[in-house]
């Protein structure tokens, strides 16, 4: 009888379910897309019940696959990873009141200003930004009083799906820490913030990531054709689970994840560290650990944009090969990857990207290299700043699109001046969720021994000191680009708005 766990990642664009055995081998997997509604500019919403139905769909696909390939198997546990910050509100009967307002929804700027005027720019260790859940709650209260008056409790995306699978309402700490409402020292909801904005009465109960919150409902187990009791564990936010799935679980261990956006995440033993420069501070899904996180809004997105408009006939591998033909510093060309604004360190939704130093001498390869270097410089800003605050970042695990190219991995090592590790198999947050379930079932004593068995490094990229010194000179110029171009791009946005009617 093969014992298995399911790791389910509730993403923004899709839901992914993995079946993993006790050695960390993936036995089956399925993913299915989700729809997003953008009713107005800046609005981003999803239907919570679509998350649930698509989760069931992927679970069914995995189980049917297992039935065909395995004569005997048993699903022992399930856990979750989920997109963070999204707001779901439920009524007295625990029914969804309105669509979920997602992490990338930017309608709550006025509410951010109101919070800052009362509590300052940093609340409970985090900068006040439109992404966070408190700002969405306040928007709801001000703009949809008819929905607010019915609200009994609020949840985050994966916590809603878990509720639908178990009938148990709670929220776990790694996700709760991304709401601007969790006290990082006591691990309890902030009574002060709750009272001040009149929301303390809709807080859900809190649990740790490894808490068993219940069992899969019998009706769902029967519907899926599995009968044994399936333990359900709380799980974690997607970045925390991504870190577990990359083996980043100890103080100063760091992660560089390049997807559409880019993330630098570095683990912390301190629960209440506060950083400036738009560095986020969240709870890890490993107990008594937190992580500092910087975000580049347009990381992989910048490379996609460049391919779409300048290199549509090339594959990504060919673009990387062209970039490799250029030299460090891309022959004096710098790209600022601010295509959709920037989060860390600038927190500026209105800054825009630029090529600086472009001449008739520059080739396609120089431009490609400048784009890759620019994305890497933006991520390095988070590392460089965290080092000034006393963090020792000497090793970085790379995941996502940026880990698919050895050239880019070496470039990261040289720019970051740190060893960069590539994983043998990379499954991201859904693997982290599966590992939480495996540890919760006591297959392993703790997450660290689970990592030892599940996660294997493939290659190490050592930093080249000379190249790092050269990159540092270009990085100093890159840092000056923001201040020099900020007033110009502001003026251009104003002109574009003015001329939109002509």
């Amino acid at each position: 009888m093969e014992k298995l766990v399911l790791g389910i990642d509730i993403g923004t664009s899709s839901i992914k379910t993995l079946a993993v055995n006790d050695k960390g081998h993936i036995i089956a997997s399925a993913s299915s897309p989700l729809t997003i509604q953008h009713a107005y500019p800046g609005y981003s919403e999803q239907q919570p019940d679509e998350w649930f139905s698509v989760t069931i769909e992927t679970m069914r696909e995995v189980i049917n696959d297992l039935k065909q390939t395995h004569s005997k198997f048993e699903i022992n546990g399930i856990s979750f990873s989920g997109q963070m910050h999204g707001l779901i509100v439920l009524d007295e009967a625990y029914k969804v009141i309105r669509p979920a307002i997602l992490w990338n929804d930017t309608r709550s700027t006025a509410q951010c200003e109101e919070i800052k005027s009362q509590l300052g720019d940093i609340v409970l260790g985090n900068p006040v930004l439109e992404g966070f859940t408190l700002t969405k709650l306040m928007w709801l209260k001000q703009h949809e009083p008819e929905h607010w008056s019915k609200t009994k409790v609020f949840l985050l995306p994966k916590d809603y799906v878990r509720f639908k699978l178990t009938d148990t309402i709670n929220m776990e700490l790694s996700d709760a820490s991304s709401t601007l409402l969790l006290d990082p020292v006591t691990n309890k909801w902030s009574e002060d913030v709750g009272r001040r904005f009149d929301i303390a009465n809709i807080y859900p109960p809190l649990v740790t990531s490894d808490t068993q919150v219940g069992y899969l409902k019998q009706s769902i187990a029967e519907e899926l054709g599995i009968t044994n009791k399936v333990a359900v564990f709380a799980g974690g936010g997607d970045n925390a689970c991504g870190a577990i799935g990359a083996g980043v679980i100890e103080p100063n261990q760091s992660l560089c994840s390049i997807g559409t956006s880019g993330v630098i995440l570095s683990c912390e033993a301190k629960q209440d560290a506060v950083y400036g420069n738009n560095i986020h501070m969240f709870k890890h899904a490993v107990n008594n650990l937190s992580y500092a996180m910087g975000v580049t809004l347009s990381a992989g997105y910048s490379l996609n944009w460049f391919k779409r408009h300048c290199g549509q006939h090339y594959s990504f591998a060919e673009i990387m090969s062209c970039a490799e033909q250029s030299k460090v510093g891309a022959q004096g060309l710098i790209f600022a990857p601010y295509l959709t604004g920037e989060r860390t360190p600038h927190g500026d939704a209105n800054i825009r990207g630029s090529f600086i130093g472009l001449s008739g001498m520059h080739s396609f390869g120089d431009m490609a290299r400048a784009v890759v270097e620019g994305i890497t410089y933006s991520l390095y800003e988070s590392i460089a700043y965290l080092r000034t605050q006393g963090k020792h970042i000497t090793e970085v695990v790379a995941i996502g699109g940026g880990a698919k190219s050895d050239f880019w991995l070496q470039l990261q090592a040289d720019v970051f001046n740190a060893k960069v590790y590539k994983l043998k198999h990379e499954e991201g947050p859904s693997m982290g969720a599966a590992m939480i379930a495996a540890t919760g079932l006591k297959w392993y004593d703790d997450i660290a021994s689970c990592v030892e068995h599940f996660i294997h490094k493939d290659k190490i990229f050592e930093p080249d000191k000379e190249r790092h010194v050269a990159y540092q000179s270009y990085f100093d110029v890159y840092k000056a680009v923001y201040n020099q171009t900020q007033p110009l791009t502001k003026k251009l946005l104003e002109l574009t708005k003015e001329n939109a009617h002509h």
Side-chain angles (χ1 to χ4, degrees):
M1 179 73 71
E2 182 142 43
K3 293 184 184 306
L4 304 171
V5 289
L6 299 184
I8 302 173
D9 178 42
I10 314 296
T12 313
S13 55
S14 66
I15 286 175
K16 180 178 180 182
T17 296
L18 296 182
V20 181
N21 70 10
D22 58 0
K23 294 179 182 60
H25 300 151
I26 293 159
I27 308 302
S29 70
S31 72
S32 200
L34 294 167
T35 50
I36 303 179
Q37 286 92 38
H38 302 288
Y40 303 100
Y43 280 43
S44 187
E45 298 184 342
Q46 282 179 323
Q47 299 294 342
D49 286 319
E50 189 189 356
W51 298 330
F52 175 60
S53 62
V54 173
T55 296
I56 294 291
E57 191 184 307
T58 60
M59 288 171 75
R60 182 179 286 116
E61 200 178 318
V62 162
I63 287 160
N64 289 344
D65 192 359
L66 289 168
K67 283 176 178 169
Q68 285 169 15
T69 55
H70 286 64
S71 53
K72 289 194 170 164
F73 69 91
E74 202 172 68
I75 310 277
N76 290 164
I78 301 176
S79 192
F80 307 84
S81 148
Q83 47 161 305
M84 298 168 76
H85 315 296
L87 173 67
I88 300 98
V89 283
L90 306 182
D91 64 15
E92 289 280 348
Y94 296 131
K95 294 279 183 284
V96 173
I97 294 169
R98 69 172 322 286
I101 305 178
L102 300 191
W103 61 275
N104 55 356
D105 187 289
T106 56
R107 74 183 76 175
S108 58
T109 305
Q111 287 70 35
C112 288
E113 294 313 312
E114 188 183 330
I115 295 165
K116 287 179 191 174
S117 71
Q118 293 203 40
L119 298 174
D121 288 355
I122 291 187
V123 173
L124 299 167
N126 278 295
V128 178
L129 299 164
E130 287 86 351
F132 292 122
T133 321
L134 170 60
T135 72
K136 303 176 199 311
L137 281 164
M138 289 176 60
W139 183 91
L140 184 72
K141 190 177 171 190
Q142 287 170 19
H143 292 274
E144 297 181 357
E146 72 286 7
H147 291 147
W148 180 257
S149 64
K150 290 184 199 158
T151 299
K152 160 89 169 162
V153 70
F154 79 94
L155 290 176
L156 297 172
K158 71 161 192 343
D159 300 316
Y160 176 72
V161 174
R162 196 180 58 243
F163 155 65
K164 292 286 283 183
L165 293 172
T166 60
D167 275 344
T168 311
I169 293 265
N170 41 46
M171 192 184 291
E172 61 72 44
L173 293 175
S174 74
D175 236 354
S177 67
S178 77
T179 59
L180 292 183
L181 291 163
L182 186 82
D183 185 317
V185 179
T186 63
N187 285 344
K188 292 189 167 79
W189 292 118
S190 167
E191 286 180 26
D192 175 39
V193 179
R195 246 196 329 267
R196 193 176 292 236
F197 299 115
D198 191 25
I199 51 178
N201 59 332
I202 61 164
Y203 284 150
L206 288 164
V207 293
T208 57
S209 298
D210 57 359
T211 300
Q212 184 184 334
V213 298
Y215 290 95
L216 185 65
K217 285 198 297 201
Q218 193 59 37
S219 58
I220 293 175
E222 284 168 10
E223 184 193 329
L224 293 170
I226 50 176
T227 50
N228 65 309
K229 271 198 157 183
V230 183
V232 177
F233 299 90
D238 54 6
N239 286 307
C241 286
I244 289 176
V248 176
I249 55 157
E250 287 172 17
N252 285 324
Q253 282 189 330
S254 302
L255 177 74
C256 174
S257 170
I258 299 175
T260 302
S261 60
V263 163
I264 292 291
L265 176 160
S266 190
C267 296
E268 287 266 352
K270 279 203 308 211
Q271 302 299 304
D272 57 346
V274 176
Y275 294 105
N277 282 18
N278 283 303
I279 294 282
H280 307 349
M281 195 67 202
F282 296 145
K283 297 277 170 195
H284 206 315
V286 180
N287 291 337
N288 303 318
L289 203 63
S290 296
Y291 61 88
M293 186 175 92
V295 179
T296 294
L297 286 180
S298 300
Y301 181 81
S302 291
L303 192 61
N304 278 332
W305 166 84
F306 180 71
K307 180 185 187 305
R308 205 164 58 244
H309 296 290
C310 305
Q312 55 270 66
H313 303 305
Y314 293 102
S315 68
F316 282 111
E318 286 166 338
I319 289 173
M320 286 299 171
S321 176
C322 292
E324 201 169 353
Q325 306 310 308
S326 181
K327 293 188 171 71
V328 169
Q331 313 279 9
L333 182 61
I334 280 179
F335 172 74
Y338 306 145
L339 302 186
T340 54
E342 187 57 307
R343 175 73 63 81
T344 309
H346 305 297
D348 185 344
N350 294 318
I351 189 65
R352 291 294 175 261
S354 50
F355 279 103
I356 302 289
L358 189 61
S359 81
M361 299 292 290
H362 285 117
S363 66
F364 175 80
D366 295 329
M367 292 177 77
R369 185 169 189 126
V371 170
V372 173
E373 287 180 350
I375 297 163
T376 313
Y377 292 149
S378 174
L379 292 160
Y380 180 44
E381 280 193 289
S382 292
I383 291 176
Y385 174 71
L386 287 167
R387 283 174 176 155
T388 67
Q389 304 302 299
K391 282 192 73 62
H392 301 289
I393 299 176
T394 56
E395 298 184 351
V396 176
V397 178
I399 64 170
K404 290 185 168 54
S405 153
D406 283 9
F407 159 68
W408 199 350
L409 287 163
Q410 185 59 55
L411 196 147
Q412 288 174 49
D414 295 341
V415 171
F416 299 162
N417 195 24
K419 285 182 186 176
V420 171
Y421 292 94
K422 180 184 183 178
L423 298 174
K424 208 169 244 170
H425 306 289
E426 187 212 312
E427 288 296 337
S430 44
M431 178 56 95
M435 291 165 74
I436 290 170
T439 310
L441 288 166
K442 299 287 181 271
W443 288 1
Y444 295 96
D445 290 342
D446 51 28
I447 288 284
S449 48
C450 189
V451 163
E452 222 171 282
H453 286 84
F454 278 43
I455 308 301
H456 306 288
K457 290 173 177 144
D458 184 32
K459 277 187 185 172
I460 304 176
F461 296 83
E462 298 274 356
D464 179 292
K465 296 290 182 242
E466 276 179 35
R467 282 200 296 266
H468 174 70
V469 170
Y471 276 126
Q472 189 67 41
S473 308
Y474 287 104
F475 176 65
D476 291 340
V477 178
Y478 167 86
K479 283 192 294 184
V481 171
Y482 173 79
N483 288 329
Q484 303 279 338
T485 60
Q486 191 269 338
L488 298 173
T489 49
K490 185 169 184 271
K491 184 70 184 157
L492 284 170
L493 283 177
E494 286 164 7
L495 286 170
T496 310
K497 277 181 191 159
E498 279 170 28
N499 293 321
H501 308 297
H502 299 324

